[in-house]
Amino acid sequence: MDKSRTLFYRRLAFFVCLTALYLVLFTLLSSTPFYDVTGAHNDRLFSADDVYCVTEFYSPQMDDSARIIKHPLFIVFACLFTRAEGLVLGPLSVKDHYQVVVAFQMAVSILSCIYLEKILRRQYGLSQRRALLLCAAYALAFSTLFYTFVAETYILSALVLLMTFYYAREGKGAATVALGVCAAGITITNAVLWAAIVWLGGAGSRRRRLAILALGGAAFCAVAALMPVGEFFFSRIISGGLSSAESFRDSFGLLELLKRVFFAFFGSTAFWLDTVEATPFGDWTGDALSFLPSAPWPIVAAALVWVGLLAWGVIRGRRSSLLWAPLGVLGCNLLLHGAIQYGLKEGFLYSLHHLPAQVLLVALALKRGPEGREVRWTEGLVWCYVICQAALNVPGYLELARFITR
C-alpha cells in the first residue's frame, strides 16, 4: 500500500471514530430529558440560550426580537431550516425538533475538524499524525463537545472561521467574500474576526486583501438588506450595539481580570472547571450551572501547559506569515472579552470564537525546524494535554449527567 493511501486511511479512521463518539454521546443525551425543553429556561447551562434558539430561532415563524442585531442572517437560516424540516419530516415534538438541530450541528462539527486537518496538513505542513493529534485536541475540548450538542450559533461560527482561514490563504476570493457574509450573519462581531483573518493571513497584495474586505462588507449589507430582518437590523444596529456593550461589560480589577481571562480563554475552552448552581449573574439558583474562575490543580497545570505551547508556537513562528491571522483572532477576542471585559462573566460562551486560532498557534510549535529537525518533546506535551482532556473532564461529565437527569 503506497504512502498516500495509508495516510488517507488514517484520516478516514480518525473521522469514523470521531463520528462514532459523537453518535454515542448523542444517543446518551437523547435518552435523557435534556432535549425536551418544554418549560425549560435559557441560561440553564453556562449561559447558553439553547431554549430560545431551538424554539424561536429554529421556528417556522421568523424571530422578530432585538436578537436580530446580533444574529441577522442566522435567524433567517434557522427559520428556513425549520420550514424545510417540516416539509421533510412533518410535525415534530419539541424534543425531536431539538434532536434534528443537534444532528445538523454534529455534521457541522465534524466538517470543522475536516477543515482544521486540511489547514494543518496542507498549509502548516504538519505530518499526518500531528495534524490529527491537534484535531483531537480541538474535537475533545469541552467547549467543542458542548456546543456540538447544545443548540447555539457557536459551532457554526467555528466552521465559518476555519473555512476563512483555509480559503483566504488559498487565495479563493469569491469563497472568502461569501464567508464574510456568513460570519457577520451568524454573529455580527465575527465580522471583525473574519476581517482579521483576511487582512493578516490572506493571499495576495494589500490592495487585493483590502478589496476582499470591502466586497465582503458590501455583500453582507446587500444580503441583509434583502432579507426580512434588514430594516430592523439597519435601524437598530448602532443603538442596540451600544446598549449591549453597556449591559454586558464588566469592571473587574486587574488581578481578578487576569484570573478570569486565564480560566475563560485557556481553561474552560478545554476543561470542566469548578461550578456553581446559578447563572454567572446569580439567577436561577439551584436550577442552572455556570463556571467559576477556578479549577482543581491538575486542570490548572494542563491549562498552563497549553499557554506554554501557545507562547512557544508564537516564538517559533515569529518569522512565519502563518502566525499573524490566528494571533490576530486571539488578540481581537482578548481585547473584546478581556481588556474591554465585554461578556467576561460568560467568557465560556465565546470559546469557539478563538479556540481554532489557539490550535493553529500551537501548530507552529509542531512544525519542523529550518534544518528539518522535529520537536518531539512538544508533540509529547500535546499528547499529555489530549490525555488530560479525556481523563480530567470525566468528573465534570458525570456532574453534568446528574444535573440534566435529576
Side-chain angles (χ1 to χ4, degrees), residues 116 120 134 138 306 310 354-364:
L116 177 60
L120 294 170
L134 284 180
Y138 172 79
W306 185 253
L310 287 168
H354 54 80
L355 180 58
Q358 291 191 39
V359 173
L360 295 182
L361 290 174
V362 173
L364 292 169

Side-chain angles (χ1 to χ4, degrees), residues 382-399:
V382 178
W383 273 106
C384 291
Y385 183 78
V386 171
I387 292 170
C388 286
Q389 284 181 307
L392 298 180
N393 281 335
V394 170
Y397 294 138
L398 294 176
E399 181 182 346

